[in-house]
Amino acid sequence: MKGTAAAVTRQLDQLLPKAVGPRGRVVDAMRYATLGGGKRLRPFLVVASARLFNVRDPRALRVAAAVEMVHCYSLVHDDLPAMDDSDLRRGKPTVHKKYDQATAILAGDGLLTEAFAVLADSATHNDSDVRAELVRGLAAAAGASGMVGGQMIDISDDRTDLDLDGVTELQRLKTGALIGFACQAGAVLGRADQAARDALAAYATDLGLAFQIADDILDVESSAQELGKPTGQDEALHKATFVGLLGLDAARKRAEELVESASSHLERFGDEADLLAQTARFVVARKK
Amino acid sequence: MKGTAAAVTRQLDQLLPKAVGPRGRVVDAMRYATLGGGKRLRPFLVVASARLFNVRDPRALRVAAAVEMVHCYSLVHDDLPAMDDSDLRRGKPTVHKKYDQATAILAGDGLLTEAFAVLADSATHNDSDVRAELVRGLAAAAGASGMVGGQMIDISDDRTDLDLDGVTELQRLKTGALIGFACQAGAVLGRADQAARDALAAYATDLGLAFQIADDILDVESSAQELGKPTGQDEALHKATFVGLLGLDAARKRAEELVESASSHLERFGDEADLLAQTARFVVARKK
């Protein structure tokens, strides 16, 4: 995972070259938002799933970088004062604190746009059918039926009153959609059959939910110093969470069940999928 | 132009169906941002240039709608308090006034994303090469080397000190890039040869500049009631403009020259291009 994280950072560095002149500022902010660390979980899922279908790493890394651009764009916009109003991200000032709000809005817009440019480029795959499918998949994950819709629910007035189904639906859109695309992208690159795609989709659904439950637990149990971002936010804002609705013990148990379920969907891939199974375990065991 | 505007509005209405539940709010805002009128100049350029290559209107209208989504997303984000802080657009409250800032940010993000989804969809063209090229073209026009970069320059501290070259470069990115893509899209859909594409690119460059000079003139000469948006903003913010740098008469003369030059690039298309030549004249003669 560390090796992939470093490779993705190099890829992002290449895909977002510095620019001169007054527009250099927004490119700097795009680089600041993407090159400053993070677990790189989503890129890792792209690379690990691509390996199941013998896709070469350079191709997978381009898609991985595009997925990370979209993840980082969403963090930049979600952190804005009009949204979650967060000052700290990955242990550093958020983009609007480091630069300003206007630059943060534009940097997010630029990253979202650049992600599609990367996917549509012939260097990502020689078959334009594959590239068009990747663009459609990323757009579906990022748009109003995915991340944008999830964030809209997350900041809505009804947010405090969500029941377990409501929180599950919210997280399916806000976090699950992009994790789902990350797991599917390898299958698209490798032109895998439908059964393989379905298995990865099922794995991703369980993984995404387990990831979010673990996030809710960390928000309660961890410190800002450990996480590199503010904690206790959900409770302070009276947001309904898995931990709040289930209790800590039941939430932990549910996350473990989801890890088992996620792994069960990988059986058809045999030992080749050990990395993805380990990733599911990592997602709930992580401390940040 | 009115007929195309109505057809594009219908297309946008279909491509952005209402959604239920709490995420319905962001879809409502996306619809509010796109369905509320406007000249629909960019969509018209897509349709008119596509006709040169006998591309069927339904295909051109999908691309036209995608271009308008990107145009409207940029207006929504540019109008935000952290950017131009505008309350009025197309004679109505801007999206963040009608909804709120968070919804406006998300609505813009959603429109930008949906534009790429539309271009990558097989309904836009049966050839995925064409779809991938459209995605690349739109991303290049919208990103940090296009609209995002242009807006960054437009709100930069150096904005007041730009000379004529600086203002030209700013507007080439901020306005010219998407107008350029709109004119090229028809050629991409129609798989036109390079000479035809070059001619349309040259037309678009002149047209985009003429459009912006006309905009600068309207900002000085028109009222908010006529334009449906605040006027006199450039002068109030001490922004360098074509009118400020050239004077009103020379700016008007320059716009007329650009219209002539734009039309001259259309000669190879014969009478078929009359609509585009008329559009260039409209762009400088318009009163809003």
Side-chain angles (χ1 to χ4, degrees):
Chain A
M1 200 154 170
K2 274 186 187 164
T4 302
V8 169
T9 301
R10 282 195 301 275
Q11 182 70 255
L12 287 163
D13 181 47
Q14 285 171 24
L15 290 170
L16 300 168
K18 287 180 192 173
V20 292
R23 76 174 188 86
R25 181 177 172 86
V26 71
V27 178
D28 284 348
M30 289 163 72
R31 292 173 57 86
Y32 179 79
T34 50
L35 300 178
K39 292 180 291 294
R40 310 293 197 195
L41 170 67
R42 293 158 192 78
F44 183 73
L45 290 169
V46 176
V47 172
S49 64
R51 281 187 192 159
L52 289 181
F53 310 102
N54 301 311
V55 175
R56 293 186 302 110
D57 272 5
R59 281 183 175 172
L61 281 170
R62 287 180 58 90
V63 177
V67 167
E68 189 68 5
M69 285 180 198
V70 169
H71 175 55
C72 292
Y73 124 77
S74 76
L75 299 179
V76 173
H77 281 191
D78 288 1
D79 285 339
L80 284 166
M83 301 255 223
D84 300 344
D85 196 13
S86 288
D87 293 353
L88 197 66
R89 171 68 67 182
R90 291 171 174 174
K92 297 191 304 180
T94 46
V95 176
H96 67 272
K97 294 301 278 185
K98 173 85 176 175
Y99 295 85
D100 53 60
Q101 285 192 53
T103 304
I105 294 167
L106 287 172
D109 295 344
L111 287 172
L112 176 59
T113 304
E114 188 60 25
F116 290 108
V118 169
L119 295 187
D121 191 289
S122 58
T124 298
H125 203 286
N126 49 2
D127 185 338
S128 57
D129 276 337
V130 169
R131 304 202 302 273
E133 187 174 350
L134 290 169
V135 170
R136 285 199 303 278
L138 184 62
S145 305
M147 299 163 75
V148 162
Q151 177 66 5
M152 185 79 258
I153 300 173
D154 203 20
I155 59 172
S156 72
D157 294 339
D158 306 333
R159 178 67 182 83
T160 50
D161 304 322
L162 291 182
D163 59 11
L164 199 58
D165 282 350
V167 172
T168 304
E169 169 69 3
L170 153 63
Q171 299 300 353
R172 186 182 66 79
L173 299 176
K174 182 168 169 164
T175 325
L178 191 61
I179 286 177
F181 175 72
C183 295
Q184 285 284 309
V188 175
L189 283 170
R191 287 186 260 218
D193 61 28
Q194 193 58 46
R197 291 176 192 222
D198 291 347
L200 280 171
Y203 162 84
T205 301
D206 291 336
L207 180 77
L209 215 46
F211 176 87
Q212 192 55 49
I213 295 175
D215 233 40
D216 286 359
I217 295 171
L218 287 171
D219 188 63
V220 173
E221 294 206 320
S222 225
S223 69
Q225 200 179 356
E226 285 170 292
L227 282 196
K229 64 179 179 183
T231 56
Q233 295 292 90
D234 294 336
E235 205 181 339
L237 297 167
H238 307 289
K239 286 188 177 185
T241 67
F242 291 111
V243 172
L245 290 163
L246 294 170
L248 203 48
D249 287 345
R252 205 172 270 129
K253 185 157 173 290
R254 182 81 189 104
E256 293 294 343
E257 286 166 4
L258 285 162
V259 168
E260 287 308 308
S261 176
S263 299
S264 73
H265 297 299
L266 300 172
E267 278 165 17
R268 56 177 294 117
F269 303 114
D271 294 349
E272 298 282 306
D274 278 355
L275 211 51
L276 288 173
Q278 285 168 31
T279 307
R281 285 194 289 277
F282 160 78
V283 151
V284 299
R286 70 200 159 97
K287 293 292 172 214
K288 60 185 278 185
Chain B
M1 200 155 170
K2 274 186 189 164
T4 301
V8 169
T9 301
R10 281 194 300 274
Q11 182 71 255
L12 287 163
D13 180 46
Q14 285 171 25
L15 290 170
L16 300 168
K18 286 180 192 171
V20 292
R23 75 174 188 84
R25 182 178 172 86
V26 70
V27 177
D28 284 348
M30 290 162 71
R31 292 173 57 86
Y32 179 80
T34 51
L35 299 179
K39 292 181 290 295
R40 311 293 197 196
L41 171 67
R42 293 157 191 80
F44 184 74
L45 291 169
V46 175
V47 172
S49 65
R51 283 188 190 157
L52 290 180
F53 309 103
N54 302 311
V55 174
R56 292 185 303 110
D57 272 5
R59 281 182 175 172
L61 281 170
R62 286 180 58 90
V63 177
V67 167
E68 188 68 5
M69 284 180 198
V70 170
H71 175 54
C72 293
Y73 123 77
S74 76
L75 298 179
V76 173
H77 281 191
D78 288 2
D79 284 340
L80 284 165
M83 301 255 222
D84 300 345
D85 196 12
S86 287
D87 294 352
L88 198 65
R89 170 70 67 181
R90 293 172 173 174
K92 297 191 304 178
T94 46
V95 176
H96 66 271
K97 292 302 276 186
K98 173 85 177 175
Y99 296 85
D100 53 60
Q101 285 191 54
T103 304
I105 294 166
L106 287 172
D109 294 344
L111 287 172
L112 177 59
T113 304
E114 189 59 25
F116 290 109
V118 170
L119 294 187
D121 190 289
S122 58
T124 298
H125 204 286
N126 49 3
D127 185 338
S128 57
D129 275 337
V130 168
R131 304 200 305 270
E133 187 173 350
L134 289 170
V135 170
R136 286 199 303 278
L138 184 62
S145 304
M147 299 164 75
V148 162
Q151 177 66 3
M152 185 79 258
I153 300 173
D154 202 21
I155 59 172
S156 72
D157 294 340
D158 306 334
R159 178 66 182 82
T160 50
D161 304 322
L162 291 182
D163 60 11
L164 199 57
D165 282 350
V167 172
T168 304
E169 168 70 2
L170 153 63
Q171 299 300 355
R172 185 182 68 78
L173 299 176
K174 181 169 170 164
T175 324
L178 191 61
I179 286 177
F181 174 72
C183 295
Q184 286 284 310
V188 175
L189 283 169
R191 287 186 260 219
D193 61 28
Q194 193 59 46
R197 291 176 193 223
D198 291 347
L200 280 170
Y203 163 83
T205 301
D206 291 337
L207 180 77
L209 214 47
F211 177 87
Q212 193 54 49
I213 295 175
D215 233 39
D216 288 357
I217 294 172
L218 286 170
D219 188 63
V220 173
E221 293 206 321
S222 225
S223 70
Q225 201 179 357
E226 286 171 292
L227 282 193
K229 64 179 179 183
T231 56
Q233 296 291 89
D234 295 336
E235 204 181 339
L237 297 168
H238 307 290
K239 286 188 176 183
T241 67
F242 290 112
V243 172
L245 290 163
L246 294 170
L248 203 47
D249 287 346
R252 205 171 270 129
K253 185 156 173 291
R254 181 81 190 103
E256 293 293 343
E257 286 166 4
L258 284 163
V259 169
E260 286 307 308
S261 176
S263 299
S264 73
H265 297 300
L266 299 172
E267 278 165 18
R268 57 178 291 117
F269 302 115
D271 295 348
E272 299 282 308
D274 278 356
L275 211 51
L276 288 173
Q278 285 168 31
T279 307
R281 285 194 289 278
F282 160 79
V283 152
V284 299
R286 70 199 159 96
K287 293 293 172 211
K288 60 184 276 183

